[in-house]
Amino acid sequence: MPTTPHLERMLRGAALRVTRPRVAVLRAVHENPHADTESILATVREDLGAVSHQAVYDVLRAFTATGLVRRIQPMGSVARYEARVGDNHHHVVCRSCGAIADVDCAVGVTPCLTASDGRGFAIDEAEVIYWGLCPACVAGAPAGPGDGPRRAIGDQKEPVRREEGPT
């Protein structure tokens, strides 16, 4: 995990002022890949004490805009944030528990990642989400067809929450 001086250099490199909330949010995203806003808020509050939802939303929005973090939102899930940026990787999501993992860029012909007709767009990224069952759910009793993710992150036992407020 990045040290505080490293996180501060990252903020300065993105032309952002270094503040305790920004350092705490950036640390939380690095320590908790694919975390939702509520999880990040809880981690930041453990570090700093009182901090508002709005402050965390604002910091995440600034980080996303400057490219410090990546925002993903698999279908049926709240927005998630990750520190792995700039490499156009993809994700695999468990249909049963909602666990999310990184997958390096797809290779080969299937699935096709080169648009057959880019419609004049200068395409610089392909976003792919693979769906299936994680190893833990394959070993256990998987959910039935149509069951959405029941847990917010990996091995957490709480239901997926819809995010309130701005995203």
Side-chain angles (χ1 to χ4, degrees):
M1 291 299 137
T3 63
T4 299
H6 181 74
L7 295 171
E8 291 172 354
R9 281 191 301 275
M10 291 174 73
L11 289 168
R12 287 185 191 101
L16 293 172
R17 280 187 317 115
V18 175
T19 64
R20 289 184 67 225
R22 285 180 175 166
V23 171
V25 170
L26 192 54
R27 177 178 291 114
V29 173
H30 275 271
E31 292 175 353
N32 304 290
H34 311 119
D36 62 12
T37 307
E38 290 298 319
S39 300
I40 293 168
L41 178 63
T43 301
V44 169
R45 284 182 173 165
E46 286 175 15
D47 188 21
L48 297 181
V51 65
S52 71
H53 278 83
Q54 192 60 50
V56 172
Y57 284 122
D58 291 346
V59 168
L60 288 169
R61 189 176 301 111
F63 287 178
T64 302
T66 59
L68 278 177
V69 303
R70 181 177 176 192
R71 180 184 186 272
I72 62 167
Q73 190 166 6
M75 182 180 65
S77 176
V78 296
R80 309 300 181 112
Y81 298 88
E82 64 180 345
R84 185 176 171 185
V85 296
D87 67 348
N88 194 33
H89 68 280
H90 307 299
H91 298 94
V92 60
V93 179
C94 180
R95 289 184 189 279
S96 179
C97 72
I100 301 173
D102 290 337
V103 176
D104 288 330
C105 202
V107 295
V109 260
T110 305
C112 178
L113 294 180
T114 303
S116 61
D117 180 357
R119 306 283 186 199
F121 283 72
I123 298 172
D124 61 9
E125 183 177 3
E127 186 172 310
V128 175
I129 297 178
Y130 299 95
W131 293 88
L133 295 176
C134 70
C137 289
V138 168
D147 285 351
R150 290 193 303 263
R151 292 191 299 245
I153 302 172
D155 58 354
Q156 288 182 336
K157 305 296 185 204
E158 59 193 53
V160 170
R161 295 181 299 268
R162 295 286 176 209
E163 203 167 271
E164 300 294 327
T167 56

